[in-house]
Amino acid sequence: MEHRALSRLAAPAVAALLALTTGCTGDTVQGRPGASGLRDPYFPRAGNGGYQVDHYALDLDYDPADGQLHGTAVITARAEQGLSSFNLDFSGLSVEAVTVQGAAARYNRTGNELTVRPAEDLKKGEVFRTEVDYSGKPKPLADPDGSKEGWITTGDGAVAVGEPVGSMTWFPGNHHPSDKAAYDITLTVPRGYEAVSNGELRSRTEDGDGRTVFAWHSPEPMASYLATAVIGPYKVTTGRTPSGVGLYSAVAPGEAAASTGPLARLPEMVEWGSGRFGPYPFASAGAIVLPAGTLGYALETQGRPVFPGAPTSQELVVHELAHQWFGNSVSPKSWKDMWLNEGFATYAEWLWAEDHDGPTAQEHFEAFLAGDTDVDAEADSDWDAFPPAAPPGPEEISAQPVYYRGAMVLHRIRQEVGDATFFALVRGWAADHRHGNASTADFTAYAEEKTGHDLKKVWDVWLYGKDRPE
Ligand code: TRP
Ligand code: ZN
């Protein structure tokens, strides 16, 4: 007995020893656990190491009457190392089963980490399929800055918003913006409800059981914080911009004013953005207008931003639209790079105003320096409290300096290099990093190379400097 047990142990040990000494594993897969976080400077546990996701197929069945969600997530990923186990980020809900490559896998959960141990180790480079079946009543979570994100109920429905880490409340995944993937999100809801997500609506069918199935398809890479699912008695409108970008919008009952307000100019804004920043990065555009009061902010969910009630300013609509180029197509490498999202989206507001009989960007810039709230209501905010490329902590990644001083960095570049070179830089940035990820260091290097100017002083004073710039 003892002897047999020993020899059973000995065989793998000998194989491991051979692999070590020869540096070759032959048929033996030598997996090790994937990292449980990507060490993001602000959200160190967000995301996971050892694999990259290619595609998420999310099949979600939701009943607004009882708030119960039944989900199946099929995650197709590529192993970047031999894996004996790997993690998914997942918060709340109950996991019912996990399979990897069709075989039942063992799993356990600690905090927001779901650790999956496949029946067989995965080889480096292997494309593998993980299916997670889950259910329960999804809940929102609180951001470090106190705002709400994740799965949020809206009375007669729900909305999912994920910036920065809320998407783990409604599906398991590699929830860090550095791992973008294609998505197919299928939402099954009781008849009479609309269900809206990112991308294009492939089909809308009745399942014969009193429910409607909406199949949404997003072929372009998407960071998971930009995924959304909106369910409720919305009014849907569709159309096309003059240049052919598809439009699909949903407006909550009671927010009908949205259709005659600033949102009515969205088609024109898409064309304007394409002129300023280069081709619109996605196959479709639109907006989702939530019942007022369900959310404290708008979010640039991919292709189809959500607004907390009918937007009342053109600038807000332009801001969320501009994120489609800056943030959604060119995504941050880490949450420290947030100013690349918000500085650009804010600067887009100034450019829209400049191009439409409002204050020029120069006037906006000067208003902030002077605290002149006649030009911009935020001009006397604490926009100068910290350098935009270095928020003091995770609770500040959406604070004013990231937006306004971030926009001022861009305007300082424009002052240094002139309009023609500046707009070539902006378009080049969007084109060269289209559907990718970029960091602040990538941007500063790119800006100097593209413009041929030494911009060190701008970076030192405006981007990284602690003192209020003069
Ligand atoms: N990124 C959003 C925008 O600029 C705003 C946002 C999302 C936000 N989540 C937040 C603002 C949390 C404050 C707190 O459109
Ligand atoms: Zn923004």
Side-chain angles (χ1 to χ4, degrees), residues 143 145 147 163 297-300 319-320 323 342 398 403:
D143 279 340
D145 66 12
S147 56
E163 189 179 37
Y297 53 86
L299 186 65
E300 63 267 25
H319 180 108
E320 305 310 333
H323 274 308
E342 302 305 345
S398 290
Y403 287 68

Side-chain angles (χ1 to χ4, degrees), residues 131-379:
E131 177 173 326
V132 182
D133 296 322
Y134 58 97
S135 66
K137 218 168 155 168
K139 288 183 188 64
L141 48 84
D143 279 340
D145 66 12
S147 56
K148 222 171 27 161
E149 57 161 324
W151 190 273
I152 297 166
T153 53
T154 54
D156 196 14
V159 55
V161 284
E163 189 179 37
V165 293
S167 291
M168 65 181 171
T169 65
W170 60 287
F171 66 96
N174 198 19
H175 291 305
H176 188 268
S178 59
D179 188 7
K180 306 210 289 187
Y183 283 71
D184 280 277
I185 301 179
T186 301
L187 303 170
T188 301
V189 295
R191 187 175 300 159
Y193 288 87
E194 297 292 336
V196 188
S197 186
N198 314 90
E200 288 76 56
L201 182 62
R202 274 277 177 85
S203 62
R204 176 197 175 122
T205 49
E206 302 297 328
D207 75 349
D209 215 8
R211 301 180 305 178
T212 314
V213 184
F214 296 80
W216 289 93
H217 176 63
S218 298
E220 305 94 351
M222 175 162 78
S224 76
Y225 77 94
L226 298 166
T228 192
V230 180
I231 294 155
Y234 288 78
K235 182 173 189 303
V236 168
T237 55
T238 61
R240 210 159 273 286
T241 70
S243 72
V245 177
L247 293 164
Y248 189 109
S249 293
V251 175
E255 300 298 328
S259 60
T260 53
L263 205 50
R265 293 183 72 173
L266 183 65
E268 177 195 348
M269 288 169 178
V270 171
E271 307 296 306
W272 171 83
S274 304
R276 275 290 189 205
F277 312 133
Y280 181 77
F282 305 107
S284 56
I288 299 163
V289 179
L290 305 174
T294 44
L295 202 60
Y297 53 86
L299 186 65
E300 63 267 25
T301 41
Q302 193 143 301
R304 197 162 286 118
V306 297
F307 294 92
T312 54
S313 87
Q314 289 174 27
E315 281 72 16
L316 180 62
V317 180
V318 165
H319 180 108
E320 305 310 333
L321 172 68
H323 274 308
Q324 306 307 317
W325 286 264
F326 307 109
N328 299 11
S329 170
V330 186
S331 303
K333 274 188 181 160
S334 90
W335 289 111
K336 196 168 185 166
D337 304 313
M338 190 68 161
W339 81 276
L340 287 172
N341 290 14
E342 302 305 345
F344 270 98
T346 303
Y347 201 69
E349 297 178 47
W350 298 359
L351 289 176
W352 171 263
E354 179 169 307
D355 288 351
H356 297 85
D357 306 315
T360 61
Q362 175 69 23
E363 285 165 339
H364 265 108
F365 179 80
E366 287 169 5
F368 276 84
L369 278 177
D372 178 1
T373 53
D374 290 343
V375 177
D376 191 309
E378 297 291 329

Side-chain angles (χ1 to χ4, degrees), residues 29-32 82-85 117-123 126:
V29 179
Q30 296 293 318
R32 57 194 167 88
L83 285 170
S84 56
S85 69
R117 175 183 275 283
E120 276 184 54
D121 285 10
L122 299 161
K123 295 190 196 66
E126 185 174 352

